[in-house]
Short mmCIF file of all heavy atoms in Angstrom, two decimals:
data_model
loop_
_atom_site.label_atom_id
_atom_site.label_comp_id
_atom_site.label_asym_id
_atom_site.label_seq_id
_atom_site.Cartn_x
_atom_site.Cartn_y
_atom_site.Cartn_z
N ASP M 448 -42.88 -116.29 55.96
CA ASP M 448 -43.71 -115.20 56.32
C ASP M 448 -44.54 -115.67 57.55
O ASP M 448 -44.33 -116.77 58.05
CB ASP M 448 -44.49 -114.63 55.20
CG ASP M 448 -45.42 -115.73 54.56
OD1 ASP M 448 -45.75 -116.74 55.26
OD2 ASP M 448 -45.60 -115.66 53.34
N ARG M 449 -45.51 -114.88 57.92
CA ARG M 449 -46.34 -115.24 59.08
C ARG M 449 -47.09 -116.54 58.99
O ARG M 449 -47.37 -117.24 59.99
CB ARG M 449 -47.32 -114.08 59.37
CG ARG M 449 -48.35 -113.91 58.29
CD ARG M 449 -49.41 -112.85 58.71
NE ARG M 449 -50.16 -113.38 59.85
CZ ARG M 449 -51.19 -114.17 59.77
NH1 ARG M 449 -51.50 -114.75 58.53
NH2 ARG M 449 -51.79 -114.54 60.80
N SER M 450 -47.33 -116.95 57.70
CA SER M 450 -48.04 -118.27 57.58
C SER M 450 -47.15 -119.45 57.88
O SER M 450 -47.65 -120.53 58.03
CB SER M 450 -48.53 -118.37 56.13
OG SER M 450 -47.40 -118.45 55.23
N ASP M 451 -45.83 -119.19 58.02
CA ASP M 451 -44.87 -120.26 58.37
C ASP M 451 -44.62 -120.31 59.88
O ASP M 451 -43.79 -121.12 60.28
CB ASP M 451 -43.61 -120.10 57.53
CG ASP M 451 -43.77 -120.17 56.10
OD1 ASP M 451 -44.32 -121.12 55.58
OD2 ASP M 451 -43.44 -119.18 55.36
N ILE M 452 -45.20 -119.45 60.64
CA ILE M 452 -45.04 -119.45 62.08
C ILE M 452 -45.63 -120.68 62.68
O ILE M 452 -46.79 -120.97 62.55
CB ILE M 452 -45.58 -118.12 62.75
CG1 ILE M 452 -44.75 -116.93 62.26
CG2 ILE M 452 -45.45 -118.30 64.28
CD1 ILE M 452 -45.34 -115.68 62.72
N VAL M 453 -44.80 -121.51 63.43
CA VAL M 453 -45.28 -122.69 64.01
C VAL M 453 -44.99 -122.79 65.53
O VAL M 453 -45.24 -123.73 66.16
CB VAL M 453 -44.65 -123.94 63.39
CG1 VAL M 453 -44.98 -124.06 61.92
CG2 VAL M 453 -43.08 -123.85 63.51
N ARG M 454 -44.58 -121.67 66.08
CA ARG M 454 -44.11 -121.68 67.49
C ARG M 454 -45.30 -121.79 68.48
O ARG M 454 -45.38 -122.56 69.35
CB ARG M 454 -43.28 -120.43 67.81
CG ARG M 454 -42.79 -120.34 69.29
CD ARG M 454 -41.87 -119.27 69.50
NE ARG M 454 -40.63 -119.52 68.68
CZ ARG M 454 -39.68 -118.51 68.53
NH1 ARG M 454 -39.86 -117.29 68.96
NH2 ARG M 454 -38.58 -118.83 67.82
N HIS M 455 -46.29 -120.87 68.31
CA HIS M 455 -47.48 -120.79 69.20
C HIS M 455 -48.49 -119.99 68.44
O HIS M 455 -48.16 -119.06 67.76
CB HIS M 455 -47.11 -120.15 70.59
CG HIS M 455 -48.17 -120.10 71.54
ND1 HIS M 455 -49.27 -119.32 71.46
CD2 HIS M 455 -48.32 -120.87 72.69
CE1 HIS M 455 -50.06 -119.61 72.59
NE2 HIS M 455 -49.52 -120.56 73.24
N PRO M 456 -49.84 -120.28 68.58
CA PRO M 456 -50.77 -119.52 67.82
C PRO M 456 -50.74 -118.05 68.08
O PRO M 456 -51.10 -117.29 67.26
CB PRO M 456 -52.17 -120.14 68.38
CG PRO M 456 -51.78 -121.55 68.83
CD PRO M 456 -50.35 -121.45 69.31
N LEU M 457 -50.35 -117.62 69.31
CA LEU M 457 -50.32 -116.22 69.65
C LEU M 457 -49.16 -115.45 68.92
O LEU M 457 -49.21 -114.30 68.69
CB LEU M 457 -50.11 -116.03 71.11
CG LEU M 457 -51.43 -115.94 71.94
CD1 LEU M 457 -51.09 -115.69 73.40
CD2 LEU M 457 -52.29 -114.74 71.47
N VAL M 458 -48.16 -116.23 68.50
CA VAL M 458 -47.00 -115.56 67.80
C VAL M 458 -47.44 -114.90 66.52
O VAL M 458 -46.98 -113.79 66.21
CB VAL M 458 -45.82 -116.53 67.62
CG1 VAL M 458 -44.69 -115.86 66.89
CG2 VAL M 458 -45.33 -117.13 68.91
N GLN M 459 -48.31 -115.51 65.73
CA GLN M 459 -48.83 -114.93 64.53
C GLN M 459 -49.52 -113.67 64.85
O GLN M 459 -49.40 -112.59 64.15
CB GLN M 459 -49.75 -115.93 63.82
CG GLN M 459 -49.04 -117.04 63.10
CD GLN M 459 -49.95 -117.78 62.17
OE1 GLN M 459 -51.20 -117.51 62.14
NE2 GLN M 459 -49.43 -118.74 61.46
N ALA M 460 -50.37 -113.65 65.92
CA ALA M 460 -51.04 -112.46 66.26
C ALA M 460 -50.14 -111.39 66.69
O ALA M 460 -50.32 -110.20 66.34
CB ALA M 460 -52.11 -112.76 67.43
N ILE M 461 -49.11 -111.70 67.41
CA ILE M 461 -48.11 -110.69 67.86
C ILE M 461 -47.39 -110.10 66.70
O ILE M 461 -47.26 -108.83 66.60
CB ILE M 461 -47.04 -111.38 68.89
CG1 ILE M 461 -47.71 -111.77 70.13
CG2 ILE M 461 -45.95 -110.43 69.08
CD1 ILE M 461 -46.90 -112.64 71.02
N VAL M 462 -46.96 -110.88 65.69
CA VAL M 462 -46.28 -110.37 64.53
C VAL M 462 -47.25 -109.48 63.79
O VAL M 462 -46.83 -108.35 63.33
CB VAL M 462 -45.80 -111.61 63.67
CG1 VAL M 462 -45.31 -110.99 62.31
CG2 VAL M 462 -44.64 -112.38 64.38
N ASP M 463 -48.47 -109.87 63.63
CA ASP M 463 -49.49 -109.04 62.89
C ASP M 463 -49.68 -107.72 63.57
O ASP M 463 -49.80 -106.66 62.91
CB ASP M 463 -50.87 -109.82 62.80
CG ASP M 463 -50.76 -110.94 61.81
OD1 ASP M 463 -49.83 -110.95 61.01
OD2 ASP M 463 -51.70 -111.78 61.87
N ALA M 464 -49.75 -107.67 64.95
CA ALA M 464 -49.99 -106.48 65.70
C ALA M 464 -48.76 -105.51 65.43
O ALA M 464 -49.03 -104.29 65.31
CB ALA M 464 -50.16 -106.83 67.20
N TYR M 465 -47.53 -106.06 65.51
CA TYR M 465 -46.42 -105.21 65.32
C TYR M 465 -46.33 -104.64 63.93
O TYR M 465 -45.99 -103.50 63.74
CB TYR M 465 -45.15 -105.82 65.78
CG TYR M 465 -44.87 -105.74 67.30
CD1 TYR M 465 -45.24 -106.74 68.08
CD2 TYR M 465 -44.13 -104.72 67.80
CE1 TYR M 465 -45.07 -106.68 69.50
CE2 TYR M 465 -43.88 -104.61 69.08
CZ TYR M 465 -44.35 -105.54 69.99
OH TYR M 465 -44.14 -105.49 71.29
N GLU M 466 -46.65 -105.48 62.94
CA GLU M 466 -46.57 -104.98 61.59
C GLU M 466 -47.61 -103.92 61.31
O GLU M 466 -47.36 -102.97 60.62
CB GLU M 466 -46.83 -106.26 60.60
CG GLU M 466 -45.62 -107.15 60.56
CD GLU M 466 -45.85 -108.28 59.53
OE1 GLU M 466 -47.04 -108.44 59.14
OE2 GLU M 466 -44.87 -109.03 59.26
N ALA M 467 -48.81 -104.06 61.95
CA ALA M 467 -49.88 -103.10 61.77
C ALA M 467 -49.40 -101.77 62.39
O ALA M 467 -49.57 -100.72 61.88
CB ALA M 467 -51.11 -103.64 62.39
N ALA M 468 -48.74 -101.89 63.54
CA ALA M 468 -48.22 -100.66 64.22
C ALA M 468 -47.20 -99.95 63.48
O ALA M 468 -47.09 -98.72 63.36
CB ALA M 468 -47.79 -101.05 65.71
N GLU M 469 -46.29 -100.79 62.89
CA GLU M 469 -45.21 -100.21 62.12
C GLU M 469 -45.68 -99.52 60.82
O GLU M 469 -45.16 -98.48 60.34
CB GLU M 469 -44.19 -101.26 61.78
CG GLU M 469 -43.36 -101.74 62.94
CD GLU M 469 -42.62 -103.03 62.70
OE1 GLU M 469 -42.74 -103.57 61.63
OE2 GLU M 469 -42.01 -103.55 63.68
N THR M 470 -46.77 -100.13 60.24
CA THR M 470 -47.32 -99.44 59.06
C THR M 470 -47.92 -98.10 59.36
O THR M 470 -47.73 -97.13 58.68
CB THR M 470 -48.39 -100.36 58.47
OG1 THR M 470 -47.80 -101.63 58.16
CG2 THR M 470 -49.01 -99.77 57.24
N SER M 471 -48.67 -98.08 60.50
CA SER M 471 -49.34 -96.78 60.88
C SER M 471 -48.24 -95.79 61.29
O SER M 471 -48.41 -94.57 61.21
CB SER M 471 -50.36 -97.06 61.95
OG SER M 471 -49.71 -97.48 63.15
N ALA M 472 -47.14 -96.32 61.90
CA ALA M 472 -46.05 -95.41 62.31
C ALA M 472 -45.32 -94.75 61.15
O ALA M 472 -44.54 -93.91 61.35
CB ALA M 472 -45.11 -96.13 63.23
N ALA M 473 -45.56 -95.19 59.91
CA ALA M 473 -44.96 -94.57 58.76
C ALA M 473 -45.31 -93.14 58.67
O ALA M 473 -44.58 -92.30 58.14
CB ALA M 473 -45.26 -95.38 57.55
N ASP M 474 -46.50 -92.82 59.21
CA ASP M 474 -46.88 -91.39 59.28
C ASP M 474 -46.38 -90.80 60.50
O ASP M 474 -46.81 -91.23 61.60
CB ASP M 474 -48.43 -91.25 59.20
CG ASP M 474 -48.99 -89.86 59.22
OD1 ASP M 474 -48.08 -88.88 59.46
OD2 ASP M 474 -50.15 -89.54 59.07
N PRO M 475 -45.50 -89.79 60.43
CA PRO M 475 -44.90 -89.25 61.72
C PRO M 475 -45.95 -88.74 62.62
O PRO M 475 -45.67 -88.59 63.94
CB PRO M 475 -43.93 -88.27 61.26
CG PRO M 475 -44.31 -87.86 59.88
CD PRO M 475 -44.99 -89.10 59.31
N GLN M 476 -47.12 -88.35 62.15
CA GLN M 476 -48.19 -87.77 63.08
C GLN M 476 -48.86 -88.87 63.74
O GLN M 476 -49.62 -88.63 64.71
CB GLN M 476 -49.12 -86.93 62.26
CG GLN M 476 -48.49 -85.81 61.54
CD GLN M 476 -47.89 -84.74 62.50
OE1 GLN M 476 -48.44 -84.61 63.61
NE2 GLN M 476 -46.78 -84.14 62.15
#
Side-chain angles (χ1 to χ4, degrees):
D448 57 33
R449 62 173 299 279
S450 66
D451 299 304
I452 295 174
V453 296
R454 180 172 293 168
H455 187 286
L457 271 180
V458 176
Q459 285 191 356
I461 292 168
V462 171
D463 289 344
Y465 274 92
E466 287 181 350
E469 289 164 0
T470 300
S471 64
D474 182 352
Q476 298 297 326

